[in-house]
Amino acid sequence: MIKQTAGREALGEFAPKFAQLNDDVLFGEVWSREDKLPLKLRSIVTVTALISKGIVDSSLSYHISEAKKNGVSKTEMSEILTHIAFYAGWPNAWAAFRMAKDVYADCDCECHGGFFGLGEPNVEYAKYFIGNSYLKLLTSPEAGVFLANVTFEPGCRNNWHIHHATKGGGQILICVDGKGWYQEYGKQAVSLEPGTVITIPAGVKHWHGAKEDSWFSHISVEIPGEDSENEWLEAVTDEVYDNLG
C-alpha cells in the first residue's frame, strides 16, 4: 500500500502521536493485513461503519474513493448503500449517495479485478495478448511462490503458451471474477467462473482469457520448479475463439 502521510501533514506539529498512529498504525499496520482480510472487504466494512455512525464528511468521501480503487464497482457501491439505508438511516444514505455519485462520475464501465482490484495495464506482456489485460502483483518473485491477479477485458485472451520445467513447475489459475475460458491444445475449452481452479502441469500447451461478453480475472500461481521458463507461441485465432461455447 501507499504510505499514508495525511496525519502528519494535517496534525504533525499539533498532535504528533495521533498523526503517527493514524499514518503508521491505522493506515499502515491495519490496512496492510491483506492476508487476513482483502482491501476490498476492508473498504466495504469501513464505508458501512462510517455511514452507520452518521459520519458523512470528507472521510467518507475518501473511503468511497479508496473502495473504488480496491475493486468495488459502481453497481456494488450502489447496492451497498441501498442495503445500508435500511439499517443506518435514509438521510445518511442520501448523503453517501451524493458522494458516491461524484466519486464514480468518471466510471463509464464497471470496476473490475475482484477483491484485488484491476491493477495496472499489462504493458510488458501486451504482445502476447489479443485485447487489453491488467496485472496486479500479489507477491514478489523473491517470495518463493509468485502470485498475480490478471484481468482480461471482454474478448481478451493470451497466446498459446507452455510452462516448461525439468522438475515441478506449471501454473494454477484461481478464478475470482467474471467469466472466462481455458483450453488445452487438442481438447475442448473449459468454461471458467469465480471459484473454478485450474491446474496446468508443465509442458502442456494452453491458453486462457475472458469470454466475449464478460470481463474476467484470475489469480495466476506460478508453481516452483527447476529450470522454469515460459514459451509463448501463436495467437488464439478468431476462428478458434469465436467457435467456443
Side-chain angles (χ1 to χ4, degrees), residues 1-11 17-34 37 39 42-47 50 55 57-67 69-70:
M1 289 188 60
I2 298 174
K3 183 175 176 60
Q4 179 65 260
T5 60
R8 288 181 170 86
E9 291 170 1
L11 295 170
K17 186 59 180 179
F18 180 88
Q20 181 261 322
L21 292 171
N22 180 85
D23 295 349
D24 300 342
V25 179
L26 174 57
F27 288 101
E29 295 178 21
V30 175
W31 276 86
S32 68
R33 289 159 53 87
E34 296 182 52
L37 190 69
L39 289 177
R42 289 187 185 276
S43 285
I44 292 172
V45 170
T46 303
V47 167
L50 291 174
I55 300 174
D57 57 12
S58 60
S59 62
L60 176 61
S61 180
Y62 168 80
H63 281 289
I64 291 175
S65 296
E66 289 300 297
K69 294 178 185 177
N70 292 333

Side-chain angles (χ1 to χ4, degrees), residues 159-235:
N159 290 5
W160 292 97
H161 57 286
I162 302 172
H163 303 287
H164 292 288
T166 55
K167 183 179 181 181
Q171 185 181 45
I172 296 173
L173 306 179
I174 303 173
C175 307
V176 296
D177 191 56
K179 298 179 180 180
W181 293 111
Y182 166 76
Q183 186 175 28
E184 294 182 4
Y185 191 76
K187 296 183 179 181
Q188 292 292 319
V190 177
S191 181
L192 305 177
E193 59 185 25
T196 303
V197 177
I198 298 291
T199 301
I200 309 167
V204 173
K205 182 177 178 179
H206 66 284
W207 69 269
H208 35 101
K211 291 192 174 181
E212 186 177 15
D213 59 352
S214 176
W215 286 76
F216 175 65
S217 297
H218 65 60
I219 298 173
S220 173
V221 184
E222 301 299 323
I223 303 173
E226 296 180 5
D227 303 316
S228 296
E229 63 176 350
N230 198 36
E231 180 185 6
W232 290 102
L233 303 168
E234 72 273 16

